Amino acid sequence: FRRVLFRSQQAESKTSGEVRVYVEPHCTKADAIDRAKEVFAQLGMEKTQARNAIIVYVAITDRKFALYGDTVIYEKAGGASFWEKAAATMAAKLRQNKLAEGISECVLELGAALAIHFPYDPNTKKNELPDEIVFGK
């Protein structure tokens, strides 16, 4: 997961947006997107100034994942079509049992979208959320 952390920092280096990765063994909801929304709120990710945070949620044992972005980035990135493409990229790697590679590529793709819509601004606080991967129970 060291590579994932590096990719997350790399993705954020060109944007004022935030990408966080949350990994746990089991998804406590029937739908992973519902759990991603819950974790997003628990981590306070809706508190970014520009509302431009994204979470990559992964339940390893259950083999589920979801991508969830705050309101503004969801709309600016192109709505459902963008998220479906990013999800397809990750799903392809997960089917090959390349979890870290899948998360890494997904994070870079999300970071590229953030950079387009929320470019790096040296006059704003650079890092509103921690970069560390969060591991649930």
Side-chain angles (χ1 to χ4, degrees), residues 20-117:
R20 293 201 73 187
V21 177
Y22 186 94
V23 179
E24 63 185 353
H26 298 285
C27 183
T28 59
K29 303 283 184 184
D31 190 341
I33 195 71
D34 292 331
R35 179 65 177 143
K37 288 178 190 178
E38 182 178 74
V39 171
F40 189 91
Q42 287 173 353
L43 296 175
M45 294 181 67
E46 76 286 351
K47 295 177 183 170
T48 59
Q49 184 177 356
R51 302 295 303 260
N52 57 357
I54 298 173
I55 190 164
V56 177
Y57 168 81
V58 182
I60 296 175
T61 304
D62 294 339
R63 302 180 58 92
K64 292 182 178 184
F65 76 93
L67 311 176
Y68 182 76
D70 211 334
T71 315
V72 176
I73 187 59
Y74 179 84
E75 293 166 358
K76 286 193 173 188
S81 62
F82 167 76
W83 301 98
E84 290 166 4
K85 181 178 180 268
T89 298
M90 188 162 160
K93 292 295 179 182
L94 295 180
R95 279 192 294 276
Q96 298 170 9
N97 290 320
K98 296 180 178 179
L99 177 65
E101 189 175 327
I103 294 171
S104 295
E105 286 186 21
C106 183
V107 164
L108 286 176
E109 193 169 329
L110 295 170
L114 283 168
I116 291 168
H117 303 291

